[in-house]
Amino acid sequence: MPLSMKTRAERFVATLRHCQVLGLTVESANDELLTMRLPYSQQIVGNPATGVVHGGSLTTLMDTACGTAVFAMLPGFELCPTLDLRMDYMQAATPDIDLWAEARVTRIASSVVFTQCEVIQRRAEERDLIARCAATFMRIGENMTPPEFRALIEQGGSQ
């Protein structure tokens, strides 16, 4: 039985050590949208005086969400390294509120996959846009993906 997109995404994230350290989780994934959560914590704070999250945490969240969406969307098991990621910071994140990335694959070409992502914070019915990005990922082919990695995804587990 083929794996669902959410299971593929969760197993992919489970292989990435930085995701475990930051507490990144896949909240949903389908053929249109992947949602990932970065819990607010003191270890991602960039300014201790204000509690504002460091921009590097946002970049990591967006790169990981887009890369995970690419991995979950492509048929087979194809690792695709980041080629380019252009990010716009819209406003500082509010302290003590989790961050949510919403990533979409916008085009799959023979050698490049195009994505877009927004990072938001949710407060009741409000949705605050914190940052957005456009990123591209290089297709290297299924044959370049190590068989051990494929086995981790197919069977579950982490490296």
Side-chain angles (χ1 to χ4, degrees):
M1 172 187 280
L3 300 173
S4 71
M5 286 191 158
K6 185 171 187 238
T7 299
R8 285 174 58 100
E10 289 171 331
R11 290 182 180 178
F12 177 72
V13 166
T15 67
L16 305 172
R17 178 72 180 129
H18 73 278
C19 293
Q20 296 159 14
V21 170
L22 293 172
L24 289 173
T25 55
V26 175
E27 299 297 318
S28 66
N30 58 47
D31 59 355
E32 293 186 17
L33 182 71
L34 178 132
T35 304
M36 184 172 283
R37 185 173 67 92
L38 172 61
Y40 182 85
S41 72
Q42 288 301 310
Q43 70 181 16
I44 63 170
V45 169
N47 184 342
T50 62
V52 171
V53 172
H54 190 277
S57 301
L58 297 174
T59 304
T60 299
L61 173 60
M62 295 179 106
D63 187 25
T64 304
C66 288
T68 302
V70 169
F71 182 80
M73 179 78 70
L74 289 175
F77 298 89
E78 184 177 356
L79 292 174
C80 299
T82 307
L83 274 177
D84 183 54
L85 188 145
R86 185 193 181 289
M87 189 163 175
D88 295 318
Y89 293 95
M90 307 309 287
Q91 63 177 312
T94 302
D96 298 315
I97 298 177
D98 294 348
L99 296 154
W100 298 79
E102 297 176 344
R104 292 175 175 76
V105 172
T106 56
R107 182 169 184 258
I108 299 173
S110 60
S111 58
V112 177
V113 180
F114 299 84
T115 65
Q116 294 177 340
C117 184
E118 290 184 346
V119 170
I120 62 166
Q121 287 186 307
R122 299 174 179 167
R123 288 187 282 175
E125 299 299 317
E126 293 184 35
R127 182 182 189 274
D128 296 332
L129 177 63
I130 306 302
R132 62 179 163 215
C133 81
T136 56
F137 294 82
M138 183 174 69
R139 297 188 69 178
I140 59 174
E142 282 188 70
N143 295 337
M144 296 296 289
T145 300
E148 303 83 18
F149 177 79
R150 181 185 175 121
L152 282 172
I153 301 300
E154 288 178 321
Q155 299 160 13
S158 60
Q159 291 181 328

